[in-house]
Amino acid sequence: MRVPKIIEAKAIKMYVLRVTFDNGDVRDYDILPLLSREPFSDLENKVLFKSVQVEQGGHAIVWNERIDLSEYEVWKNGVEPI
């Protein structure tokens, strides 16, 4: 099974990302459970959290050189928006 690539990611509220994939799927991904672990605890900073970007090629979303999430993680554990 091919995991779709990410084409867009944006912060829709604190700790929740809305991620759009190249197959048309949209997932909301809550990073709150990750904040207790390094390096994700840095994302408690609102400015840093909102600076999320899609890695070139769509294989991950990134905040800086230390913090990223793979397309598989977001696609598998994200939820469809209500």
Side-chain angles (χ1 to χ4, degrees):
M1 168 178 54
R2 175 189 170 283
V3 176
K5 302 298 178 240
I6 297 170
I7 58 172
E8 182 181 38
K10 60 185 174 182
I12 58 169
K13 59 183 178 180
M14 203 54 194
Y15 309 128
V16 178
L17 302 168
R18 177 149 299 154
V19 180
T20 305
F21 294 87
D22 66 359
N23 67 352
D25 283 355
V26 176
R27 300 274 202 276
D28 286 352
Y29 186 89
D30 187 349
I31 67 152
L32 192 59
L34 302 176
L35 293 180
S36 62
R37 301 190 337 230
E38 285 295 324
F40 296 101
S41 60
D42 292 352
L43 294 176
E44 291 181 26
N45 177 311
K46 183 187 277 190
V47 173
L48 178 60
F49 176 72
K50 289 184 175 189
S51 73
V52 65
Q53 296 181 21
V54 178
E55 177 199 53
Q56 188 173 359
H59 295 284
I61 53 175
V62 298
W63 286 270
N64 59 31
E65 63 281 345
R66 294 179 52 227
I67 309 171
D68 61 36
L69 289 169
S70 73
E71 79 274 35
Y72 179 78
E73 168 63 22
V74 177
W75 188 71
K76 181 178 180 253
N77 294 311
V79 298
E80 291 187 21
I82 297 172

